[in-house]
């Protein structure tokens, strides 16, 4: 009797294990299907065996090895003229959080959303990239992308996922991928060398020297605005402050430390100095941001506050425009909206300059580059900061170190190949060795060589652009105060050379 009972218990346990295993398999399959159903990306693992639902650069293909999961994966094949990019437009809901991820394998693999944030890595095996984003109040679709980098090796992509609620509309049908006629030797198509007429910026000269004037004190000399060296065409007052009462809004006043260092410097004197500079044919703009800037324009309200506050400062002080130097990120959609609102108030005399860091302009998918392209019709110049950055990729796919001519020319052509005009490109450099981190300084004579290389194809370093870019707009420096500490060697060397350019 006891032995029989034990047998029954054993049989029952075995049955439960069998049932439990079956249930586990069922649950795993159920949850896997549920997760897949929540993924808004179509053909996310490329298991269709083709590029259906994706819009890709020529040369991109679907392969069977290496893969992260399943049978197929995506192979991106960058060249000197394309990044191997693939995109997909997906219907989403406004004001909603989403998570985008993908497994990537290869050098300089990028994942991101057009007009929003991005991430990248370099790896020798499949590594997951992931980012989060929140859609805007009016956003009903987004375009996700993956790409490699110019001239680098192939990148492999698998299991792309956009997790979040589906949009109420249908996902737009992707534009078919067309195979363009191959360019001989894989060389980027030259940009026409005709000099365009700048669309805005008032009466600025063809080639301009821009300098930042410090509204604060440090080891550099304190200067009245009227004391700025006459070689400077455009003076950017650094910096405006965030308005805590109006998100996105800015304020400005003479810093007390500067006023004290100058023996008293009032707003009235500052305004008078701007008028003096105007009488000399100079332009003065207000710079927003800087290394410690906390201004954020991330929605419609803050965009309007920004535009209104800048316009108010222009009316009060006589500024000719605005410089965007937001080193902690920029929202290309809402900042573009703010600047377009400002442009509608001011008109064609408005000067708009951008001062992105080098990392911000490595790809057209980055927020700053997107902003530049979004406002291209009203943008005066992009003065990229070729300092405090370390090594970066050039447009030929090679890595260059800061402090060299190659660094200037190879990074400038990324912007030119990415869609900006030559008259919208400026080279931003420190005025002295003390004005930036070690290794950032470039002698003014080397800057002049870089201008010649871009403009004429002469005096180049080991890197020479595939074409010349007539009409390169100018040079920027941080700062006028530091230049003053060195007898204005920067301005006195660079400005005369700018005057020799066509």
């Amino acid at each position: 009797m006891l032995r029989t009972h034990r047998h029954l218990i054993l049989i029952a346990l075995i049955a439960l294990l069998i049932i439990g295993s079956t249930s586990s398999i069922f649950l795993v399959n159920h949850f896997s299907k549920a997760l897949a159903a929540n993924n808004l990306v179509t053909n996310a693992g490329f298991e269709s065996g083709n590029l259906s639902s994706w819009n890709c650069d020529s040369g991109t293909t679907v392969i069977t090895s290496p893969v992260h999961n399943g049978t197929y994966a995506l192979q991106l094949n960058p060249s000197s003229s394309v990044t191997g990019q693939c995109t997909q437009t997906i219907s989403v809901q406004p004001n909603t959080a989403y998570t985008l991820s993908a497994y990537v394998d290869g050098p300089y693999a990028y994942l991101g959303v057009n007009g929003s944030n991005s991430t990248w890595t370099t790896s020798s095996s499949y590594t997951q990239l992931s980012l989060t984003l929140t859609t805007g109040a009016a956003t009903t679709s987004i375009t996700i992308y993956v790409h490699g980098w110019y001239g680098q090796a192939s990148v492999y992509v698998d299991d792309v996922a956009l997790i979040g609620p589906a949009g109420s509309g249908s996902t737009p049908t992707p534009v078919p991928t067309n195979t363009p006629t191959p360019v001989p030797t894989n060389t980027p198509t030259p940009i026409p060398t005709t000099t365009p007429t700048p669309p805005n910026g008032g009466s600025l000269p063809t080639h301009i020297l821009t300098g930042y004037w410090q509204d604060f004190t440090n080891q550099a000399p304190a200067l009245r605005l009227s004391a700025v060296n006459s070689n400077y065409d455009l003076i950017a007052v650094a910096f405006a402050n965030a308005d805590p009462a109006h998100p996105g809004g800015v304020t400005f006043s003479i810093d007390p430390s500067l006023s004290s260092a100058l023996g008293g410097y009032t707003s009235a004197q500052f305004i008078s100095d701007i008028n003096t500079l105007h009488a000399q044919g100079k332009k003065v703009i207000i710079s927003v941001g800087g290394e410690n800037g906390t201004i954020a324009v991330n929605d419609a309200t803050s965009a309007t506050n920004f535009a209104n506050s800048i316009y108010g400062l222009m009316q009060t002080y006589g500024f000719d425009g605005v410089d965007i130097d937001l080193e902690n990120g920029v929202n290309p959609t809402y900042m573009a909206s703010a600047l377009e609102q400002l442009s509608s108030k001011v008109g064609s005399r408005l000067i708009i300059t951008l001062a992105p860091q080098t990392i911000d302009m490595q790809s057209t998918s980055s927020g700053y580059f997107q902003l530049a392209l979004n406002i291209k019709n009203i943008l005066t110049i992009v003065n990229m900061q070729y300092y405090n950055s370390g090594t970066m990729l050039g447009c030929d796919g090679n890595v260059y170190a800061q402090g060299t001519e190659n660094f200037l020319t190879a990074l400038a052509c990324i912007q030119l190949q990415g869609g900006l005009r030559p008259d919208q490109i400026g080279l931003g450099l420190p005025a002295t060795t003390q004005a930036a981190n070690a290794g950032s300084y470039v002698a003014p004579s080397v800057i002049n060589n870089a201008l010649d290389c871009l403009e004429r194809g002469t005096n180049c370093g080991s890197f020479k652009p595939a074409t010349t870019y007539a009409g390169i707009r100018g040079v920027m420096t941080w700062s006028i105060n530091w230049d003053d500490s060195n007898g204005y060697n920067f301005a006195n060397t660079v400005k005369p050379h700018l005057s020799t350019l066509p």
Side-chain angles (χ1 to χ4, degrees), residues 148-188:
W149 196 246
Y150 298 102
Q152 298 298 312
S154 296
V155 169
Y156 304 97
V157 182
D158 205 354
D159 299 324
V160 185
L162 181 68
I163 304 301
S168 57
S170 59
T171 298
T173 303
V175 178
T177 301
N178 296 320
T179 303
T181 303
V183 180
T185 68
N186 211 5
T187 301

mmCIF file of all heavy atoms in Angstrom, residues 148-188:
data_model
loop_
_atom_site.group_PDB
_atom_site.id
_atom_site.type_symbol
_atom_site.label_atom_id
_atom_site.label_comp_id
_atom_site.label_asym_id
_atom_site.label_seq_id
_atom_site.Cartn_x
_atom_site.Cartn_y
_atom_site.Cartn_z
ATOM 1 N N GLY A 148 27.113 53.860 -41.136
ATOM 2 C CA GLY A 148 28.526 53.799 -40.775
ATOM 3 C C GLY A 148 29.148 55.163 -40.958
ATOM 4 O O GLY A 148 28.491 56.180 -40.751
ATOM 5 N N TRP A 149 30.404 55.177 -41.409
ATOM 6 C CA TRP A 149 31.046 56.469 -41.639
ATOM 7 C C TRP A 149 31.903 56.421 -42.892
ATOM 8 O O TRP A 149 32.384 55.383 -43.314
ATOM 9 C CB TRP A 149 31.891 56.897 -40.439
ATOM 10 C CG TRP A 149 32.229 58.354 -40.514
ATOM 11 C CD1 TRP A 149 33.446 58.922 -40.674
ATOM 12 C CD2 TRP A 149 31.293 59.434 -40.482
ATOM 13 N NE1 TRP A 149 33.330 60.290 -40.730
ATOM 14 C CE2 TRP A 149 32.032 60.631 -40.612
ATOM 15 C CE3 TRP A 149 29.905 59.498 -40.347
ATOM 16 C CZ2 TRP A 149 31.420 61.879 -40.624
ATOM 17 C CZ3 TRP A 149 29.295 60.747 -40.354
ATOM 18 C CH2 TRP A 149 30.046 61.914 -40.483
ATOM 19 N N TYR A 150 32.065 57.617 -43.514
ATOM 20 C CA TYR A 150 32.756 57.746 -44.787
ATOM 21 C C TYR A 150 34.112 57.023 -44.782
ATOM 22 O O TYR A 150 34.971 57.266 -43.932
ATOM 23 C CB TYR A 150 33.005 59.213 -45.111
ATOM 24 C CG TYR A 150 31.755 60.036 -45.254
ATOM 25 C CD1 TYR A 150 31.330 60.876 -44.227
ATOM 26 C CD2 TYR A 150 30.993 59.989 -46.409
ATOM 27 C CE1 TYR A 150 30.178 61.648 -44.348
ATOM 28 C CE2 TYR A 150 29.837 60.751 -46.539
ATOM 29 C CZ TYR A 150 29.441 61.582 -45.513
ATOM 30 O OH TYR A 150 28.310 62.339 -45.627
ATOM 31 N N GLY A 151 34.299 56.150 -45.768
ATOM 32 C CA GLY A 151 35.595 55.513 -45.972
ATOM 33 C C GLY A 151 35.949 54.434 -44.968
ATOM 34 O O GLY A 151 37.044 53.871 -45.036
ATOM 35 N N GLN A 152 35.058 54.134 -44.030
ATOM 36 C CA GLN A 152 35.343 53.116 -43.025
ATOM 37 C C GLN A 152 34.849 51.745 -43.493
ATOM 38 O O GLN A 152 34.190 51.626 -44.520
ATOM 39 C CB GLN A 152 34.689 53.496 -41.703
ATOM 40 C CG GLN A 152 35.195 54.804 -41.116
ATOM 41 C CD GLN A 152 36.669 54.772 -40.781
ATOM 42 O OE1 GLN A 152 37.149 53.829 -40.156
ATOM 43 N NE2 GLN A 152 37.402 55.791 -41.210
ATOM 44 N N ALA A 153 35.180 50.717 -42.719
ATOM 45 C CA ALA A 153 34.791 49.347 -43.076
ATOM 46 C C ALA A 153 33.286 49.146 -42.917
ATOM 47 O O ALA A 153 32.577 49.999 -42.372
ATOM 48 C CB ALA A 153 35.567 48.357 -42.210
ATOM 49 N N SER A 154 32.815 47.992 -43.370
ATOM 50 C CA SER A 154 31.388 47.679 -43.317
ATOM 51 C C SER A 154 30.898 47.612 -41.877
ATOM 52 O O SER A 154 31.633 47.272 -40.950
ATOM 53 C CB SER A 154 31.115 46.350 -44.003
ATOM 54 O OG SER A 154 31.420 46.413 -45.377
ATOM 55 N N VAL A 155 29.614 47.944 -41.707
ATOM 56 C CA VAL A 155 28.936 47.840 -40.415
ATOM 57 C C VAL A 155 27.777 46.872 -40.576
ATOM 58 O O VAL A 155 27.043 46.918 -41.571
ATOM 59 C CB VAL A 155 28.418 49.219 -39.949
ATOM 60 C CG1 VAL A 155 27.498 49.067 -38.746
ATOM 61 C CG2 VAL A 155 29.585 50.139 -39.617
ATOM 62 N N TYR A 156 27.604 45.978 -39.594
ATOM 63 C CA TYR A 156 26.530 44.999 -39.620
ATOM 64 C C TYR A 156 25.469 45.391 -38.585
ATOM 65 O O TYR A 156 25.805 45.811 -37.471
ATOM 66 C CB TYR A 156 27.071 43.603 -39.340
ATOM 67 C CG TYR A 156 28.170 43.220 -40.295
ATOM 68 C CD1 TYR A 156 29.502 43.376 -39.930
ATOM 69 C CD2 TYR A 156 27.880 42.756 -41.573
ATOM 70 C CE1 TYR A 156 30.527 43.056 -40.812
ATOM 71 C CE2 TYR A 156 28.893 42.439 -42.465
ATOM 72 C CZ TYR A 156 30.221 42.591 -42.079
ATOM 73 O OH TYR A 156 31.216 42.297 -42.962
ATOM 74 N N VAL A 157 24.216 45.259 -38.962
ATOM 75 C CA VAL A 157 23.101 45.684 -38.117
ATOM 76 C C VAL A 157 22.064 44.573 -38.059
ATOM 77 O O VAL A 157 21.744 43.951 -39.081
ATOM 78 C CB VAL A 157 22.449 46.972 -38.664
ATOM 79 C CG1 VAL A 157 21.317 47.435 -37.750
ATOM 80 C CG2 VAL A 157 23.489 48.070 -38.841
ATOM 81 N N ASP A 158 21.513 44.346 -36.859
ATOM 82 C CA ASP A 158 20.484 43.320 -36.712
ATOM 83 C C ASP A 158 19.553 43.706 -35.564
ATOM 84 O O ASP A 158 19.923 44.491 -34.678
ATOM 85 C CB ASP A 158 21.130 41.964 -36.422
ATOM 86 C CG ASP A 158 20.245 40.792 -36.843
ATOM 87 O OD1 ASP A 158 19.087 41.041 -37.247
ATOM 88 O OD2 ASP A 158 20.706 39.642 -36.769
ATOM 89 N N ASP A 159 18.352 43.180 -35.615
ATOM 90 C CA ASP A 159 17.377 43.324 -34.527
ATOM 91 C C ASP A 159 17.170 44.773 -34.107
ATOM 92 O O ASP A 159 17.380 45.149 -32.947
ATOM 93 C CB ASP A 159 17.804 42.486 -33.319
ATOM 94 C CG ASP A 159 17.884 40.994 -33.662
ATOM 95 O OD1 ASP A 159 17.049 40.537 -34.455
ATOM 96 O OD2 ASP A 159 18.781 40.307 -33.158
ATOM 97 N N VAL A 160 16.749 45.594 -35.058
ATOM 98 C CA VAL A 160 16.412 46.988 -34.770
ATOM 99 C C VAL A 160 15.043 47.023 -34.101
ATOM 100 O O VAL A 160 14.123 46.313 -34.515
ATOM 101 C CB VAL A 160 16.392 47.832 -36.057
ATOM 102 C CG1 VAL A 160 16.170 49.304 -35.730
ATOM 103 C CG2 VAL A 160 17.690 47.651 -36.841
ATOM 104 N N ALA A 161 14.904 47.839 -33.069
ATOM 105 C CA ALA A 161 13.625 47.878 -32.348
ATOM 106 C C ALA A 161 13.281 49.299 -31.940
ATOM 107 O O ALA A 161 14.135 50.041 -31.458
ATOM 108 C CB ALA A 161 13.688 46.985 -31.111
ATOM 109 N N LEU A 162 12.028 49.684 -32.180
ATOM 110 C CA LEU A 162 11.471 50.915 -31.634
ATOM 111 C C LEU A 162 10.298 50.483 -30.762
ATOM 112 O O LEU A 162 9.265 50.041 -31.272
ATOM 113 C CB LEU A 162 11.008 51.867 -32.735
ATOM 114 C CG LEU A 162 10.422 53.190 -32.222
ATOM 115 C CD1 LEU A 162 11.499 54.045 -31.563
ATOM 116 C CD2 LEU A 162 9.758 53.971 -33.356
ATOM 117 N N ILE A 163 10.462 50.615 -29.454
ATOM 118 C CA ILE A 163 9.475 50.112 -28.509
ATOM 119 C C ILE A 163 8.638 51.273 -27.978
ATOM 120 O O ILE A 163 9.171 52.253 -27.454
ATOM 121 C CB ILE A 163 10.143 49.370 -27.339
ATOM 122 C CG1 ILE A 163 11.035 48.247 -27.874
ATOM 123 C CG2 ILE A 163 9.097 48.822 -26.389
ATOM 124 C CD1 ILE A 163 10.314 47.228 -28.713
ATOM 125 N N GLY A 164 7.334 51.144 -28.099
ATOM 126 C CA GLY A 164 6.409 52.177 -27.647
ATOM 127 C C GLY A 164 5.079 51.989 -28.355
ATOM 128 O O GLY A 164 4.939 51.142 -29.242
ATOM 129 N N PRO A 165 4.089 52.785 -28.020
ATOM 130 C CA PRO A 165 2.766 52.630 -28.634
ATOM 131 C C PRO A 165 2.759 53.045 -30.097
ATOM 132 O O PRO A 165 3.417 54.023 -30.494
ATOM 133 C CB PRO A 165 1.875 53.551 -27.794
ATOM 134 C CG PRO A 165 2.811 54.537 -27.192
ATOM 135 C CD PRO A 165 4.091 53.828 -26.967
ATOM 136 N N ALA A 166 2.033 52.314 -30.898
ATOM 137 C CA ALA A 166 1.930 52.612 -32.328
ATOM 138 C C ALA A 166 1.164 53.904 -32.546
ATOM 139 O O ALA A 166 0.284 54.273 -31.752
ATOM 140 C CB ALA A 166 1.248 51.459 -33.054
ATOM 141 N N GLY A 167 1.489 54.588 -33.621
ATOM 142 C CA GLY A 167 0.773 55.803 -33.969
ATOM 143 C C GLY A 167 -0.604 55.499 -34.510
ATOM 144 O O GLY A 167 -0.911 54.368 -34.900
ATOM 145 N N SER A 168 -1.434 56.520 -34.557
ATOM 146 C CA SER A 168 -2.804 56.337 -35.035
ATOM 147 C C SER A 168 -2.886 56.299 -36.552
ATOM 148 O O SER A 168 -3.817 55.771 -37.124
ATOM 149 C CB SER A 168 -3.702 57.466 -34.512
ATOM 150 O OG SER A 168 -3.190 58.735 -34.902
ATOM 151 N N GLY A 169 -1.865 56.858 -37.216
ATOM 152 C CA GLY A 169 -1.848 56.861 -38.672
ATOM 153 C C GLY A 169 -1.048 55.693 -39.200
ATOM 154 O O GLY A 169 -0.403 54.959 -38.459
ATOM 155 N N SER A 170 -1.091 55.530 -40.508
ATOM 156 C CA SER A 170 -0.313 54.468 -41.127
ATOM 157 C C SER A 170 1.108 54.950 -41.327
ATOM 158 O O SER A 170 1.361 56.126 -41.545
ATOM 159 C CB SER A 170 -0.924 54.074 -42.485
ATOM 160 O OG SER A 170 -0.967 55.197 -43.340
ATOM 161 N N THR A 171 2.052 54.027 -41.247
ATOM 162 C CA THR A 171 3.443 54.371 -41.465
ATOM 163 C C THR A 171 3.664 54.697 -42.932
ATOM 164 O O THR A 171 3.275 53.925 -43.805
ATOM 165 C CB THR A 171 4.360 53.209 -41.054
ATOM 166 O OG1 THR A 171 4.191 52.963 -39.662
ATOM 167 C CG2 THR A 171 5.818 53.525 -41.344
ATOM 168 N N PRO A 172 4.285 55.854 -43.240
ATOM 169 C CA PRO A 172 4.496 56.225 -44.637
ATOM 170 C C PRO A 172 5.293 55.169 -45.386
ATOM 171 O O PRO A 172 6.173 54.530 -44.823
ATOM 172 C CB PRO A 172 5.286 57.543 -44.525
ATOM 173 C CG PRO A 172 4.980 58.058 -43.156
ATOM 174 C CD PRO A 172 4.778 56.854 -42.312
ATOM 175 N N THR A 173 4.941 54.981 -46.644
ATOM 176 C CA THR A 173 5.662 54.039 -47.483
ATOM 177 C C THR A 173 7.044 54.583 -47.786
ATOM 178 O O THR A 173 7.191 55.723 -48.201
ATOM 179 C CB THR A 173 4.914 53.821 -48.816
ATOM 180 O OG1 THR A 173 3.600 53.365 -48.510
ATOM 181 C CG2 THR A 173 5.646 52.813 -49.691
ATOM 182 N N PRO A 174 8.113 53.801 -47.554
ATOM 183 C CA PRO A 174 9.458 54.319 -47.786
ATOM 184 C C PRO A 174 9.702 54.612 -49.258
ATOM 185 O O PRO A 174 9.135 53.969 -50.141
ATOM 186 C CB PRO A 174 10.359 53.177 -47.287
ATOM 187 C CG PRO A 174 9.500 51.952 -47.380
ATOM 188 C CD PRO A 174 8.107 52.414 -47.091
ATOM 189 N N VAL A 175 10.546 55.585 -49.501
ATOM 190 C CA VAL A 175 10.920 55.927 -50.875
ATOM 191 C C VAL A 175 11.815 54.832 -51.417
ATOM 192 O O VAL A 175 12.747 54.395 -50.737
ATOM 193 C CB VAL A 175 11.670 57.282 -50.905
ATOM 194 C CG1 VAL A 175 12.099 57.623 -52.325
ATOM 195 C CG2 VAL A 175 10.783 58.370 -50.322
ATOM 196 N N PRO A 176 11.547 54.316 -52.615
ATOM 197 C CA PRO A 176 12.384 53.241 -53.148
ATOM 198 C C PRO A 176 13.836 53.666 -53.238
ATOM 199 O O PRO A 176 14.152 54.826 -53.489
ATOM 200 C CB PRO A 176 11.786 52.999 -54.555
ATOM 201 C CG PRO A 176 10.407 53.559 -54.481
ATOM 202 C CD PRO A 176 10.472 54.706 -53.521
ATOM 203 N N THR A 177 14.721 52.715 -53.002
ATOM 204 C CA THR A 177 16.146 52.990 -53.087
ATOM 205 C C THR A 177 16.572 52.932 -54.538
ATOM 206 O O THR A 177 16.406 51.925 -55.217
ATOM 207 C CB THR A 177 16.928 51.942 -52.276
ATOM 208 O OG1 THR A 177 16.490 52.007 -50.931
ATOM 209 C CG2 THR A 177 18.421 52.208 -52.361
ATOM 210 N N ASN A 178 17.111 54.021 -55.027
ATOM 211 C CA ASN A 178 17.608 54.066 -56.390
ATOM 212 C C ASN A 178 19.114 53.885 -56.400
ATOM 213 O O ASN A 178 19.814 54.403 -55.532
ATOM 214 C CB ASN A 178 17.263 55.412 -57.047
ATOM 215 C CG ASN A 178 15.769 55.607 -57.195
ATOM 216 O OD1 ASN A 178 15.054 54.667 -57.526
ATOM 217 N ND2 ASN A 178 15.300 56.819 -56.942
ATOM 218 N N THR A 179 19.609 53.160 -57.336
ATOM 219 C CA THR A 179 21.049 52.975 -57.461
ATOM 220 C C THR A 179 21.601 54.056 -58.377
ATOM 221 O O THR A 179 21.342 54.063 -59.577
ATOM 222 C CB THR A 179 21.372 51.591 -58.050
ATOM 223 O OG1 THR A 179 20.782 50.593 -57.217
ATOM 224 C CG2 THR A 179 22.880 51.391 -58.135
ATOM 225 N N PRO A 180 22.367 55.034 -57.821
ATOM 226 C CA PRO A 180 22.882 56.120 -58.650
ATOM 227 C C PRO A 180 24.012 55.648 -59.550
ATOM 228 O O PRO A 180 24.614 54.602 -59.325
ATOM 229 C CB PRO A 180 23.399 57.124 -57.611
ATOM 230 C CG PRO A 180 23.757 56.271 -56.431
ATOM 231 C CD PRO A 180 22.779 55.149 -56.429
ATOM 232 N N THR A 181 24.267 56.427 -60.569
ATOM 233 C CA THR A 181 25.389 56.136 -61.447
ATOM 234 C C THR A 181 26.684 56.283 -60.668
ATOM 235 O O THR A 181 26.897 57.302 -60.010
ATOM 236 C CB THR A 181 25.403 57.116 -62.636
ATOM 237 O OG1 THR A 181 24.150 57.009 -63.315
ATOM 238 C CG2 THR A 181 26.549 56.802 -63.586
ATOM 239 N N PRO A 182 27.554 55.266 -60.670
ATOM 240 C CA PRO A 182 28.781 55.340 -59.884
ATOM 241 C C PRO A 182 29.615 56.559 -60.267
ATOM 242 O O PRO A 182 29.736 56.914 -61.429
ATOM 243 C CB PRO A 182 29.511 54.031 -60.241
ATOM 244 C CG PRO A 182 28.427 53.118 -60.725
ATOM 245 C CD PRO A 182 27.429 53.995 -61.398
ATOM 246 N N VAL A 183 30.209 57.191 -59.257
ATOM 247 C CA VAL A 183 31.099 58.323 -59.493
ATOM 248 C C VAL A 183 32.491 57.780 -59.751
ATOM 249 O O VAL A 183 32.967 56.910 -59.021
ATOM 250 C CB VAL A 183 31.126 59.256 -58.253
ATOM 251 C CG1 VAL A 183 32.049 60.432 -58.477
ATOM 252 C CG2 VAL A 183 29.722 59.721 -57.949
ATOM 253 N N PRO A 184 33.195 58.239 -60.778
ATOM 254 C CA PRO A 184 34.541 57.721 -61.068
ATOM 255 C C PRO A 184 35.427 57.788 -59.831
ATOM 256 O O PRO A 184 35.421 58.759 -59.082
ATOM 257 C CB PRO A 184 35.015 58.642 -62.192
ATOM 258 C CG PRO A 184 33.754 59.155 -62.816
ATOM 259 C CD PRO A 184 32.760 59.278 -61.702
ATOM 260 N N THR A 185 36.259 56.728 -59.604
ATOM 261 C CA THR A 185 37.189 56.558 -58.482
ATOM 262 C C THR A 185 36.445 56.823 -57.152
ATOM 263 O O THR A 185 37.148 57.132 -56.179
ATOM 264 C CB THR A 185 38.398 57.494 -58.646
ATOM 265 O OG1 THR A 185 37.980 58.866 -58.498
ATOM 266 C CG2 THR A 185 39.064 57.341 -60.010
ATOM 267 N N ASN A 186 35.189 56.769 -57.070
ATOM 268 C CA ASN A 186 34.492 56.919 -55.776
ATOM 269 C C ASN A 186 34.707 58.243 -55.116
ATOM 270 O O ASN A 186 34.675 58.383 -53.917
ATOM 271 C CB ASN A 186 34.877 55.793 -54.828
ATOM 272 C CG ASN A 186 33.795 55.452 -53.899
ATOM 273 O OD1 ASN A 186 32.694 55.989 -53.991
ATOM 274 N ND2 ASN A 186 34.061 54.580 -52.995
ATOM 275 N N THR A 187 35.090 59.295 -55.755
ATOM 276 C CA THR A 187 35.357 60.695 -55.323
ATOM 277 C C THR A 187 34.036 61.428 -55.159
ATOM 278 O O THR A 187 33.182 61.366 -56.032
ATOM 279 C CB THR A 187 36.206 61.448 -56.369
ATOM 280 O OG1 THR A 187 37.421 60.751 -56.524
ATOM 281 C CG2 THR A 187 36.503 62.879 -55.910
ATOM 282 N N PRO A 188 33.842 62.191 -54.081
ATOM 283 C CA PRO A 188 32.609 62.953 -53.902
ATOM 284 C C PRO A 188 32.353 63.915 -55.048
ATOM 285 O O PRO A 188 33.282 64.494 -55.611
ATOM 286 C CB PRO A 188 32.854 63.723 -52.595
ATOM 287 C CG PRO A 188 33.932 62.951 -51.898
ATOM 288 C CD PRO A 188 34.786 62.376 -52.988
#
